[in-house]
Amino acid sequence: MSLQGKNALVTGGSRGIGRAICLELARQGANVAVNYAGNAKAAEETVKALGAQAVAIQADVADAAACEAMVKEVISTFGSLQILVNNAGITRDNLALSISEADFDAVIDTNLKGTFHCMRAAIRPMMKKRRGRIISISSVVGLMGNAGQINYAASKAGVIGMTKSLAREVASRHITVNAVAPGFIKTDMTAVLSDSVKEGILHGIPLGELGEAEDVANAVLYLASDEASFLNGVNLPIDGGVTCY
Ligand code: NAP
């Protein structure tokens, strides 16, 4: 699954799952633009670790103009863009009765609209080249729901719907649009959960273990590769069997 000569943009590539995706794409030969929101130090560390041609780009994916500018910067740096990975995401958990409108909106703006902004910015140059791979990180929570995550579940279910819609719109230009739905993966995002919550999650995983960021990165690599050319509009769970039914 060589990505030699391909150029990729990974949103939220500075840490966690995004960082593992950057490393995997670079390992297979891709040039990688590492997007981040505010953590410049983490982004620079990721860029240094990549070895391939790499660049860090600060942009808030909730800002449509910033996403347009980011895609332009990737193309002016690398010459073209073949792979977009929409990974940037946040949580602001609370029960439906208690959640503030600001926390609801923040998660929708980053996870759902952020994915849309980057999709829209990337498809025009990809359509011109008649080739592209768009992979978005959804979540099992978008499939199953989760108490205390009404905003996050809505954002991730929306990412799955957008993936299937865009896949139908741009398939004739040889652009595939897919998603992966991680279960519980060990990153900063999940480190804040209490041991009892983690223990409860572990009991619900048929494989009996928590996932690693690399498990997600390996699936993204496949979807980004030429080998996945006939795979379009899927949402692939990477969850140890949580959603098998
Ligand atoms: P993480 O460790 O918290 O890292 C989040 C990344 O997103 C960071 O690189 C952060 O940049 C970036 N980011 C956040 N808001 C942004 C914004 N507005 N604009 C640009 N970048 C932004 O999270 P993670 O666990 O790796 O999660 C990555 C993705 O996988 C998310 O979409 C998440 O919803 C999804 N996911 C995670 C799990 C899990 O169990 N961990 C499960 C299912 C799905 P800075 O470094 O600058 O802050």
Side-chain angles (χ1 to χ4, degrees), residues 41-60:
K41 189 165 176 281
E44 283 306 332
E45 279 167 13
T46 300
V47 164
K48 267 193 209 139
L50 291 185
Q53 198 188 336
V55 62
I57 303 180
Q58 191 286 329
D60 177 358

Side-chain angles (χ1 to χ4, degrees), residues 98-111:
S98 313
I99 195 164
S100 68
E101 197 169 339
D103 280 348
F104 193 92
D105 289 350
V107 168
I108 297 296
D109 288 350
T110 301
N111 299 7

Side-chain angles (χ1 to χ4, degrees), residues 11-19 21 34-40 42-43 57-63 70 86-91 106 109-111 114-115 136-141 152 155-156 180-191 193 211 213 216 238:
T11 69
S14 46
R15 294 185 285 119
I17 292 171
R19 182 176 202 272
I21 292 168
V34 179
N35 160 252
Y36 67 100
N39 199 333
I57 303 180
Q58 191 286 329
D60 177 358
V61 295
D63 178 341
M70 173 164 63
N86 292 304
N87 164 82
I90 58 169
T91 51
D109 288 350
T110 301
N111 299 7
T115 297
S136 301
I137 312 302
S138 60
S139 168
V140 294
V141 171
Y152 187 77
S155 73
K156 294 300 187 178
V180 298
F184 187 103
I185 307 294
K186 286 179 265 175
T187 67
D188 293 348
M189 183 178 273
T190 47
L193 299 176
V216 182
I238 311 289

Side-chain angles (χ1 to χ4, degrees), residues 17 126 138 148 173 179 194-195 212 216 218 241 245:
I17 292 171
M126 285 180 177
S138 60
R173 309 297 174 97
S194 68
D195 286 345
E212 303 285 345
V216 182
N218 288 331
Y245 47 80

